[in-house]
Amino acid sequence: MNEATNEPLSAAPVSTSVPVLECRDLSISYFTRAGEIPAVVDFNLKVHAGEAVGIVGESGCGKSTVALAIMQYMGKNGRIMAGELKFMGRDMRAMGEAELQGLRGSKIAMVYQEPMASLNPAMRIKDQLMEVPLHHEKVGEKEAFERALAMLADVKLPDPRRIMEAFPHQISGGQQQRVVIAMALLSNPALLLLDEPTTALDVTVEAGIVDLIREIASRFNTGMIYISHNLGLIRETCDRITVMYSGEAVEDGTVGEVFNAMRHPYTQGLFRSIPLPGADKNARPLIPIRGQLPLPHQRPHGCNFGPRCDHFKPACDAGPIPMRQVPSQPDHRSRCIRFEQIDWNAPPAHADTGEPIPLGPRVLEVDGLKKYYEIANRSLLAMIRGTAVKTVKANEKLDFDAHEAETVAIVGESGCGKSTFAKVLMGLETATEGRAVLGNRDIAATPVQSRKPQVVGHLQMVFQNPFDTLNPSHTVGSQIARVIRKFDVEQDREKVKDRVMQLLDMVKLPRDFYLRRPRQLSGGQKQRVGIARAFAGNPRVVVADEPVSALDVSVQAAVTQLLMEIQRTNRTTLLFISHDLSLVRYLADKVIVMYLGHLVEQGTTDEVFAPPYHPYTEALLSAVPVADTSVEKRRIVLEGDIPSAVNPPPGCPFQTRCQRKIGRICETEYPPLRTFGEGHRILCHIAPEELEAMPPVFTTAEERAAE
Amino acid sequence: MATTFDARPAAPPLLDRLSAPKAVLILVALMWVPLTLYVMAGRNLGVLQPYILLPAIPATLILYVLAVRAWRESWTAVIGATLVFFWLLMAVSAPYLPLLDPNKPIAPFVLPFSHGKVGDTFFWLGTDFKGRDMLSRTVWGCQRVIVWGVTATVVAYVVGTLFGLIAGYLSGWWDELITFFGNVLLSFPVMVLFIVVLNYLGPSGFNIVIAVTFASAPAIMRIVRGLTLDIKSRDYVFAAQTRGERPFYIMIFELLPNVRGPIIVDACLRLGYTTVAITTLTFLGLGLQPPDPDWGLMIKEAAKTAMLFRFSYMLIIPALSVSTLILGFNLMADGLREISLRD
Amino acid sequence: MAILILRRLVQMALIIVVASFLLFLIFDTDAFKKKTAIAELGGFGVSSLSEADYQKWLDEKGLNVPFYQRYGKWLGDVATGDLGRSYEKSTAVGPLLLDRLKNTGILAFWVFALMIPLSLVTGVLAGMREGSAQDRTLSFIAVFTTSIPEIATAILLTVIFALGLGWLPAKSAMIGGFNWRQLVLPVLTLVIYDFGYVARMTRASMAEVMTSQYIRTAVLKGLPFRHVIVKHALRNALIAPFTIIVLQLNWLLSGVVVVEVFFEYDGFGKLLLEAALFGDIYVVQACTLVAVVIAVLSQIISDVGYTILNPRIRFA
């Protein structure tokens, strides 16, 4: 580091006892047409130098509001109503605009959720970086440039000089986020706010950023606030944690205390509703939190979590509930009046452990399926060279089969070709080569328009984005009814309506949703309607494209459970497309790992999650943030970004990022498909013995003890 | 509060029922069909002519109340609606108002707020150079511009939306072809296109509809195409495709209802443009033809004879009238946009 | 990027070709040819023209040859600058049109010179603080001025400044040579109407940029508000208004018709309208062709400008 950053942080005297930031009884409200909406109530937080505090909670819990309030940037209609906000002992609420300007970006810096949107599209990276020292420390152009360049190197960006000259759209998402982090660190801030900094990134890219963040805390002695909805990420980056629910902190303490001995039912509910990669579905079923988040103006009296809590007693809704310290743990506090009475080690009350169900005959067989696109390259160079038309290999030789009542998970990051495969299967695209046999009919080359209604009805889809999945202009009932008539399940008006009602029952929605419009539904409810619609035609195969990734954690569990339940009772084959390996482990029978259109590994869930691994699977597993403190994992961070499918690397598709690359052969030759056991296949040059000798990525405490 | 509501318990539910889409459509039809028939068919209506506009008056009033009620959150929209509905009310009630015959010369060059030399008729807004009552001509003058303006805009929208949906949804060659012809038409300056089309077809209300369609439909097509391209990638369209719906079904039932919102705002603005265009064309002698009153005609006739400050009311009155109508459309568009952004 | 511009150029050339073909097709119809024949041969109307006379006239003019030959000849004429003759003014169309275009050019120059700074400043000031009193006032003025059609603005300005106060001449025929005082009212009329539209577009663009996340980033970097506006917001917010302003050239060609006719200013618009009313076919045809060419050129400038201003396209 250069010298300027080693200067004292502030003119104010800094002693170790003064926290970098202290929020005391902070209340924040927004003022809308409907009146005052309290976004955050009675919020306390302390951050010391070099300490990382995590704030975790679901959407609408007020965690981002806290971050913007600390920055004193709440727009026209947001206001701090009460409480203290102290930065290094000085009251921020009393500061003028000029003083705040001096703090922002210099003593307090922020990293945002969407790196692309946070960078000015019309300015070069260097200008955006250099501004920080130019304005806050009044250094010369040359020094500002040098410091920006050094900081880019510090955040481990390759070729910093090129990136300095680039515009934001010319670099990848992961690189953009590193630039934003560099921008935040340039003035060596005392406090760094990170608002979901990895949510918009792919898992293996996320792992790199998380590593960088951990390094920052130790190296720069910065106080950090890490806001996330992901408990695993908090565990990997933070020392302390505050759990928020519906505008209030419900529990805070050190990561160890809260993760191992939580003292609030909401925290416990959160942990029980997320899948942990250490356990499978039969050992530890997901338990959703019933009900849904209350809207800010519909919060219940007393405990906000009351209506959803299993331990609810009449006293809970009597009045406001204070935060109380947990006995013998000075740092650990909970906003539950009954935490002493609750037996925290009791097994969950309504855990329905599903027995593994026997698989039926083969329903779907995919054999050598290829999908190539041709895209016109309109650059002058390409036209001269005669390579104006480029072939993009979106799917390269996919082989697998799926049985009745089986769940096959297709795993991969963006650009791996899983969505293209879904489109081919659904008949929106036709395969370039190969077969996809549904029942006894090859559908790979038949567009959906030429398929028989029954065939179309037998193959349906659940979509990713709950806000897009339903047409906002039609009622819920009419959208499901259309499917029933279209697939000729029923035609009679009354019978169709009966069937819609049955389907609403099946997805556990009240029958009066029939006449509702999608905008009156929450995300989870919309997704349930989406599931009802997919199952309306009694499908044999359902393709679910990341069906829960856009939902809140507690709702995810409920929707996942529902989907599996329906699948079990109907003995439907489920193709589950996901990037979330912990979820996949929890629900899949068979796993297919894809990278850049290639199928790199497939096998049963147990086979894929245990060695031998494909190096990519190994990295993917390692990138999963784990919220279970008893699980240790080997950290593998991949270099660089996922290559574009338009310009795939020669040889092995994974060779540019592979941590186990063995040499020239990886760059020149397409790897062989090695078979282990019955159906476990890995596409790799590495010798089978070496693959089998890999240590497992996850080890539990018991396993470590046994060694 | 409760007691005041108890006094008239029936009022809110009635308005609620009238606000249902079907009721509004019926009201619009009740207002619009008689007015259009009255203006377009005119004397061919025979014995019906004196009575046909009667149902339109209550319909217009109810629609105004509904509009104010629905848009009460935006003052801009309410003011806009008030201006527009004022002229609509004038248009449907002109035959029943105690007005002088707009085409009958009485006494030329009588200043506003004075009696003519002959008789004791009081002229609120004076008379024009031929001695026709300005007030009467101003009130009657809004009929044709409103009817032809709205008809032309609606036709342009139907054509533009249809092509926009096709270009946006079907893409490929359809898109290339439609977009290209749209661009050809768009490269004609609007007024030049009007002049060429009306010069070719001859000046008349129907031909104005055609000219406006040629001029506006490509722009509407572009907007709808853009919206369609956006909506097309939504999952519910994907869902419709995966259950094997025909493109026609997807365009009409899945896409059209969702492009409606932004289009309504644009339509209000475009109603303003069309009103300007018709008035201007009439002023230039290519639009509506005499003798029936029209604002553009009033300006055209007065521009030759009234170039004196004393008589400038002959120009100012129609100019302000048309401006208020256009201002009404524009404010309505602004207010609606404001409302749509809030939700 | 070069390819992008080249593609646009080819597209635009194609548009001109198709538009000219359409124009030829319209003016090649019997109705129009008969009008011309009457204008040349003399007569009182289409009905008085005998079929034999008409056919003879067609033969003389070489208009009885097959369609493609006629079109080819016309194209050749246009390419060599021969745009036909005006029967009303009995002169060649080419020089006449050029002279009128020059007058309209003067008008357009002043309109743009006033309108651009005025509307950009208004739009930026309004959009900078969306929803503030400043924004509401400026926005209302902008809606108000766009709502008054040119014809009404022209009337009001004339009544106030010419008929009432007597400061300026009511007509702009420039009979005694060029006189800047006669230019004021037409320019003002066009500026007032157009200013509101461009200002509203600028405001919308500015307001959108101000709510974007990168502005938040800039503010939270601790930069002064002035710096945020000038360095971060304007660059992005002025891209859209730039293209809109260039496209106003197309709009201006519409606007000048009514203004020039009302103020009797001898420009392109008045020429076109008079020719259309008189049935001076060649003049109408030439005017339209020129209008289309100017419009297409403005589109090209707008497109190229957009490409250059927007780094996301420039360095794609």
Side-chain angles (χ1 to χ4, degrees):
Chain A
M1 284 313 301
N2 50 54
E3 282 162 85
T5 51
N6 289 333
E7 282 170 7
L9 289 175
S10 160
V14 185
S15 73
T16 45
S17 62
V18 178
V20 179
L21 183 89
E22 185 174 8
C23 303
R24 192 176 290 161
D25 304 331
L26 203 62
S27 290
I28 306 159
S29 288
Y30 284 104
F31 292 85
T32 65
R33 280 177 298 154
E36 180 184 343
I37 292 177
V40 173
V41 184
D42 193 19
F43 183 81
N44 289 284
L45 185 76
K46 259 186 211 165
V47 185
H48 290 277
E51 186 185 43
V53 178
I55 300 181
V56 79
E58 296 174 276
S59 62
C61 73
K63 54 189 194 298
S64 295
T65 306
V66 169
L68 291 174
I70 292 169
M71 290 306 250
Q72 297 277 304
Y73 185 84
M74 287 170 293
K76 285 177 298 232
N77 52 359
R79 203 181 307 153
I80 296 180
M81 303 303 290
E84 280 177 30
L85 186 61
K86 281 187 179 163
F87 177 71
M88 310 201 96
R90 287 185 299 158
D91 185 6
M92 284 186 80
R93 291 183 64 192
M95 288 182 191
E97 193 56 32
E99 205 174 344
L100 283 172
Q101 233 172 56
L103 282 184
R104 288 177 186 154
S106 124
K107 300 284 176 275
I108 310 179
M110 187 157 173
V111 174
Y112 314 86
Q113 180 167 355
E114 304 258 351
M116 179 68 188
S118 317
L119 291 169
N120 193 327
M123 284 170 80
R124 289 180 196 278
I125 304 276
K126 69 170 175 196
D127 294 324
Q128 305 194 41
L129 287 172
M130 283 160 61
E131 272 180 345
V132 178
L134 281 175
H135 265 272
H136 287 297
E137 294 167 51
K138 311 281 178 230
V139 301
E141 289 266 339
K142 198 169 173 310
E143 197 193 332
F145 185 87
E146 290 305 323
R147 278 172 57 179
L149 195 66
M151 190 51 82
L152 284 187
D154 275 348
V155 295
K156 304 205 175 65
L157 275 167
D159 200 357
R161 277 187 192 278
R162 183 185 63 85
I163 289 184
M164 285 287 270
E165 298 297 326
F167 283 96
H169 69 273
Q170 293 172 304
I171 59 178
S172 73
Q175 290 175 333
Q176 285 165 358
Q177 195 60 300
R178 281 173 197 265
V179 168
V180 176
I181 292 174
M183 196 152 76
L185 292 176
L186 257 175
S187 57
N188 200 5
L191 180 66
L192 182 62
L193 299 172
L194 301 130
D195 186 1
E196 305 254 12
T198 59
T199 311
L201 305 174
D202 269 318
V203 219
T204 53
V205 179
E206 172 182 81
I209 300 280
V210 167
D211 252 24
L212 177 67
I213 291 169
R214 296 201 311 177
E215 203 186 305
I216 292 168
S218 55
R219 208 170 122 189
F220 294 78
N221 198 34
T222 310
M224 283 203 306
I225 297 179
Y226 192 107
I227 293 167
S228 179
H229 65 279
N230 189 323
L231 285 165
L233 283 173
I234 298 283
R235 184 210 156 195
E236 289 182 4
T237 49
C238 297
D239 309 308
R240 297 173 46 81
I241 176 174
T242 297
V243 181
M244 287 189 76
Y245 179 77
S246 193
E248 291 175 331
V250 293
E251 183 167 3
D252 61 17
T254 64
V255 167
E257 285 162 352
V258 174
F259 277 60
N260 297 328
M262 66 274 305
R263 283 294 176 269
H264 194 281
Y266 174 65
T267 317
Q268 189 181 43
L270 266 188
F271 275 95
R272 285 187 172 163
S273 61
I274 54 170
L276 298 175
D280 72 30
K281 58 182 159 184
N282 298 325
R284 187 185 163 286
L286 292 189
I287 303 154
I289 304 174
R290 61 194 155 83
Q292 44 180 310
L293 287 164
L295 294 172
H297 53 275
Q298 292 169 349
R299 286 181 189 142
H301 197 63
C303 179
N304 283 347
F305 188 60
R308 302 177 72 185
C309 182
D310 288 336
H311 306 288
F312 182 81
K313 286 272 160 9
C316 294
D317 58 5
I321 307 208
M323 281 293 254
R324 287 184 306 134
Q325 192 202 316
V326 177
S328 78
Q329 291 177 336
D331 263 356
H332 191 179
R333 300 184 310 147
S334 161
R335 197 185 287 274
C336 176
I337 54 166
R338 300 190 63 244
F339 72 74
E340 289 96 340
Q341 285 92 323
I342 296 170
D343 175 8
W344 293 100
N345 294 320
H350 41 68
D352 37 352
T353 16
E355 288 296 306
I357 46 168
L359 302 184
R362 189 160 70 187
V363 176
L364 179 73
E365 186 192 357
V366 177
D367 183 13
L369 191 82
K370 287 183 185 177
K371 174 67 193 172
Y372 293 176
Y373 288 103
E374 288 194 341
I375 56 165
N377 184 345
R378 287 191 167 131
S379 83
L380 207 54
L381 203 66
M383 285 190 184
I384 293 165
R385 283 186 184 155
T387 51
V389 177
K390 265 193 107 106
T391 310
V392 178
K393 299 175 178 176
N395 286 153
E396 183 70 79
K397 228 171 133 347
L398 300 185
D399 282 298
F400 71 93
D401 48 20
H403 296 257
E404 189 184 277
E406 188 177 34
T407 302
V408 179
I410 303 174
V411 177
E413 295 173 281
S414 55
C416 75
K418 51 190 182 182
S419 302
T420 305
F421 172 67
K423 278 189 183 165
V424 171
L425 213 54
M426 304 309 295
L428 300 182
E429 305 273 357
T430 48
T432 313
E433 221 181 288
R435 299 186 309 146
V437 183
L438 177 71
N440 47 15
R441 209 185 307 249
D442 181 10
I443 54 168
T446 325
V448 66
Q449 300 263 330
S450 327
R451 294 183 185 175
K452 290 212 172 75
Q454 276 80 4
V455 178
V456 177
H458 279 161
L459 187 59
Q460 276 299 291
M461 190 153 174
V462 179
F463 297 90
Q464 175 174 14
N465 188 343
F467 301 97
D468 261 9
T469 192
L470 300 180
N471 190 329
S473 302
H474 302 307
T475 60
V476 166
S478 68
Q479 299 196 45
I480 302 177
R482 171 75 194 174
V483 183
I484 295 168
R485 273 197 290 272
K486 180 82 190 169
F487 296 149
D488 213 9
V489 181
E490 297 288 354
Q491 289 297 347
D492 178 70
R493 183 185 269 269
E494 278 307 307
K495 282 187 180 157
V496 169
K497 190 167 177 181
D498 281 350
R499 175 87 183 121
V500 176
M501 292 304 180
Q502 284 168 18
L503 286 164
L504 285 176
D505 292 344
M506 181 182 85
V507 295
K508 299 186 177 128
L509 287 175
R511 286 191 167 204
D512 64 346
F513 271 42
Y514 186 88
L515 285 175
R516 294 246 185 129
R517 282 179 194 276
R519 66 164 180 276
Q520 298 164 295
L521 272 56
S522 71
Q525 288 168 338
K526 283 183 199 170
Q527 210 56 327
R528 283 167 193 259
V529 176
I531 292 173
R533 184 178 58 187
F535 281 88
N538 297 319
R540 296 175 67 188
V541 178
V542 167
V543 180
D545 185 3
E546 307 249 13
V548 297
S549 66
L551 300 175
D552 267 319
V553 184
S554 66
V555 183
Q556 270 188 12
V559 174
T560 311
Q561 286 289 59
L562 177 80
L563 187 59
M564 294 186 55
E565 212 178 288
I566 297 171
Q567 182 226 353
R568 277 162 179 273
T569 38
N570 295 12
R571 292 188 65 76
T572 315
T573 305
L574 186 65
L575 293 188
F576 192 88
I577 299 176
S578 180
H579 69 277
D580 184 348
L581 276 170
S582 34
L583 191 62
V584 162
R585 169 143 205 197
Y586 169 72
L587 54 77
D589 300 301
K590 187 192 275 177
V591 178
I592 292 165
V593 182
M594 287 179 72
Y595 186 80
L596 272 187
H598 298 262
L599 195 160
V600 296
E601 178 167 0
Q602 72 164 308
T604 64
T605 309
D606 289 339
E607 285 167 346
V608 171
F609 277 72
Y613 303 115
H614 186 278
Y616 176 63
T617 316
E618 186 188 20
L620 257 188
L621 282 172
S622 166
V624 176
V626 182
D628 187 344
T629 48
S630 68
V631 173
E632 285 274 306
K633 76 175 184 195
R634 282 194 293 126
R635 290 199 73 80
I636 299 154
V637 174
L638 293 184
E639 302 265 318
D641 293 298
I642 302 166
S644 149
V646 186
N647 285 311
C652 171
F654 188 54
Q655 50 105 343
T656 51
R657 303 174 74 202
C658 185
Q659 73 280 18
R660 291 180 184 272
K661 192 165 160 184
I662 52 174
R664 287 273 309 153
I665 187 167
C666 295
E667 289 165 25
T668 50
E669 274 179 49
Y670 191 73
L673 194 63
R674 303 190 188 279
T675 309
F676 299 83
E678 222 170 277
H680 189 198
R681 281 177 281 178
I682 294 174
L683 188 78
C684 192
H685 283 296
I686 301 175
E689 311 78 61
E690 280 179 56
L691 286 173
E692 274 172 340
M694 284 181 177
V697 172
F698 300 113
T699 41
T700 62
E702 297 112 64
E703 281 165 352
R704 282 196 300 280
E707 266 176 32
Chain B
M1 275 303 283
T3 47
T4 43
F5 275 114
D6 284 347
R8 285 181 303 152
L14 176 70
L15 282 182
D16 273 340
R17 254 183 296 154
L18 286 174
S19 303
K22 256 185 208 160
V24 171
L25 273 183
I26 291 171
L27 284 170
V28 169
L30 270 178
M31 172 182 77
W32 193 250
V33 173
L35 184 60
T36 314
L37 283 175
Y38 189 84
V39 170
M40 291 190 188
R43 287 173 189 91
N44 301 339
L45 291 170
V47 283
L48 271 177
Q49 201 196 4
Y51 311 107
I52 192 165
L53 279 175
L54 280 175
I57 299 172
T60 311
L61 286 170
I62 297 173
L63 277 174
Y64 175 61
V65 172
L66 292 179
V68 170
R69 197 165 158 272
W71 301 334
R72 61 184 177 271
E73 281 164 19
S74 162
W75 272 106
T76 327
V78 171
I79 296 173
T82 307
L83 290 172
V84 170
F85 274 95
F86 171 75
W87 287 115
L88 274 175
L89 191 64
M90 289 299 116
V92 292
S93 57
Y96 314 108
L97 292 174
L99 294 169
L100 297 166
D101 183 343
N103 290 333
K104 187 177 149 208
I106 304 169
F109 293 104
V110 178
L111 297 185
F113 304 112
S114 62
H115 291 276
K117 283 169 205 153
V118 282
D120 54 357
T121 331
F122 183 75
F123 296 99
W124 287 94
L125 297 178
T127 59
D128 70 359
F129 65 103
K130 277 187 180 166
R132 296 170 296 191
D133 179 35
M134 285 293 290
L135 175 66
S136 170
R137 283 182 76 73
T138 308
V139 171
W140 279 93
C142 70
Q143 271 191 348
R144 288 205 289 173
V145 72
I146 289 179
V147 168
W148 288 115
V150 174
T151 310
T153 312
V154 168
V155 172
Y157 262 91
V158 172
V159 174
T161 308
L162 188 75
F163 281 109
L165 282 174
I166 293 174
Y169 184 69
L170 295 182
S171 326
W173 280 109
W174 284 100
D175 188 17
E176 298 276 338
L177 205 71
I178 292 172
T179 309
F180 180 77
F181 272 97
N183 284 339
V184 170
L185 285 176
L186 279 175
S187 64
F188 284 84
V190 179
M191 198 47 75
V192 175
L193 189 64
F194 280 153
I195 290 173
V196 170
V197 172
L198 288 175
N199 197 19
Y200 181 56
L201 299 174
S204 83
F206 281 106
N207 291 341
I208 286 182
V209 174
I210 295 172
V212 167
T213 306
F214 270 113
S216 296
I220 298 164
M221 183 277 288
R222 269 196 184 181
I223 297 172
V224 175
R225 176 178 172 272
L227 291 167
T228 307
L229 283 178
D230 175 27
I231 296 176
K232 192 173 124 174
S233 62
R234 302 287 170 94
D235 280 347
Y236 57 81
V237 176
F238 201 27
Q241 289 170 339
T242 57
R243 61 171 188 262
E245 300 286 5
R246 306 269 147 209
F248 179 78
Y249 174 91
I250 294 180
M251 281 191 261
I252 300 299
F253 292 97
E254 303 283 347
L255 298 173
L256 188 59
N258 295 307
V259 299
R260 204 176 43 192
I263 276 189
I264 286 175
V265 174
D266 184 69
C268 281
L269 283 179
R270 213 164 282 280
L271 273 171
Y273 298 151
T274 312
T275 312
V276 175
I278 293 180
T279 309
T280 309
L281 282 172
T282 309
F283 165 73
L284 295 175
L286 287 166
L288 305 171
Q289 297 301 309
D292 281 342
D294 175 83
W295 296 333
L297 271 178
M298 290 164 77
I299 295 174
K300 177 185 160 69
E301 291 164 353
K304 291 180 198 136
T305 50
M307 273 303 179
L308 278 173
F309 189 64
R310 252 166 75 80
F311 298 127
S312 59
Y313 67 91
M314 289 184 212
L315 287 167
I316 290 178
I317 291 167
L320 287 183
S321 303
V322 70
S323 301
T324 49
L325 179 62
I326 295 159
L327 184 66
F329 285 131
N330 285 352
L331 289 178
M332 236 161 81
D334 260 25
L336 289 181
R337 186 183 297 125
E338 210 177 295
I339 292 171
S340 72
L341 284 181
R342 266 190 213 158
D343 300 327
Chain C
M1 188 180 71
I3 286 288
L4 205 75
I5 293 173
L6 206 70
R7 271 173 53 96
R8 285 304 282 168
L9 285 175
V10 170
Q11 228 172 9
M12 295 296 179
L14 215 59
I15 285 179
I16 292 185
V17 169
V18 172
S20 75
F21 181 73
L22 281 178
L23 272 179
F24 181 76
L25 216 60
I26 289 176
F27 291 109
D28 194 53
T29 48
D30 265 355
F32 273 116
K33 276 193 284 198
K34 278 184 180 161
K35 274 192 195 174
T36 316
I38 294 156
E40 262 188 28
L41 301 172
F44 301 103
V46 177
S47 50
S48 69
L49 183 74
S50 75
E51 189 58 35
D53 283 351
Y54 177 56
Q55 286 305 329
K56 203 172 137 234
W57 179 80
L58 285 180
D59 280 338
E60 268 173 33
K61 287 274 150 187
L63 292 175
N64 256 347
V65 293
F67 176 79
Y68 66 91
Q69 285 185 13
R70 270 180 282 154
Y71 183 54
K73 179 174 176 296
W74 179 74
L75 273 186
D77 286 349
V78 170
T80 52
D82 179 5
L83 295 168
R85 263 187 87 74
S86 159
Y87 298 108
E88 187 198 3
K89 306 204 163 51
S90 38
T91 111
V93 174
L96 176 72
L97 186 59
L98 213 61
D99 182 52
R100 297 301 184 90
L101 274 177
K102 196 191 79 201
N103 286 343
T104 299
I106 297 171
L107 196 63
F109 171 80
W110 287 109
V111 170
F112 276 95
L114 285 174
M115 184 270 289
I116 293 175
L118 196 64
S119 53
L120 288 188
V121 169
T122 312
V124 167
L125 287 179
M128 206 163 76
R129 298 180 196 273
E130 202 185 354
S132 63
Q134 175 180 307
D135 174 29
R136 291 192 165 267
T137 319
L138 292 175
S139 294
F140 184 75
I141 292 173
V143 179
F144 199 78
T145 56
T146 33
S147 296
I148 309 176
E150 289 119 334
I151 179 69
T153 318
I155 288 170
L156 295 177
L157 289 177
T158 308
V159 168
I160 296 170
F161 293 106
L163 304 183
L165 299 168
W167 292 353
L168 295 163
K171 296 294 170 197
S172 315
M174 311 259 175
I175 293 162
F178 182 78
N179 179 352
W180 67 268
R181 294 181 63 220
Q182 297 189 6
L183 207 58
V184 176
L185 288 183
V187 167
L188 224 54
T189 305
L190 287 167
V191 168
I192 286 179
Y193 185 70
D194 199 25
F195 142 81
Y197 177 74
V198 178
R200 272 154 59 112
M201 289 298 167
T202 312
R203 178 198 170 273
S205 168
M206 187 70 186
E208 192 194 323
V209 167
M210 287 309 285
T211 55
S212 69
Q213 292 189 31
Y214 57 82
I215 292 299
R216 185 180 73 182
T217 310
V219 172
L220 296 187
K221 252 194 240 178
L223 303 177
F225 189 67
R226 258 186 85 82
H227 184 90
V228 173
I229 297 289
V230 175
K231 281 255 173 160
H232 286 262
L234 285 186
R235 281 186 197 204
N236 293 294
L238 291 183
I239 295 175
F242 167 79
T243 61
I244 287 165
I245 286 170
V246 178
L247 292 178
Q248 290 306 299
L249 208 58
N250 186 336
W251 164 85
L252 197 74
L253 290 174
S254 295
V256 289
V257 178
V258 57
V259 168
E260 288 179 355
V261 169
F262 186 85
F263 289 105
E264 291 170 15
Y265 182 79
D266 271 329
F268 161 85
K270 184 159 166 262
L271 179 69
L272 170 63
L273 183 80
E274 280 170 354
L277 292 177
F278 192 82
D280 211 351
I281 302 310
Y282 288 119
V283 179
V284 176
Q285 198 174 23
C287 283
T288 317
L289 195 64
V290 167
V292 171
V293 171
I294 293 176
V296 169
L297 278 179
S298 73
Q299 266 182 45
I300 293 177
I301 296 171
S302 154
D303 275 7
V304 172
Y306 184 79
T307 321
I308 290 171
L309 285 177
N310 195 337
R312 265 183 278 195
I313 299 180
R314 188 164 28 132
F315 299 103

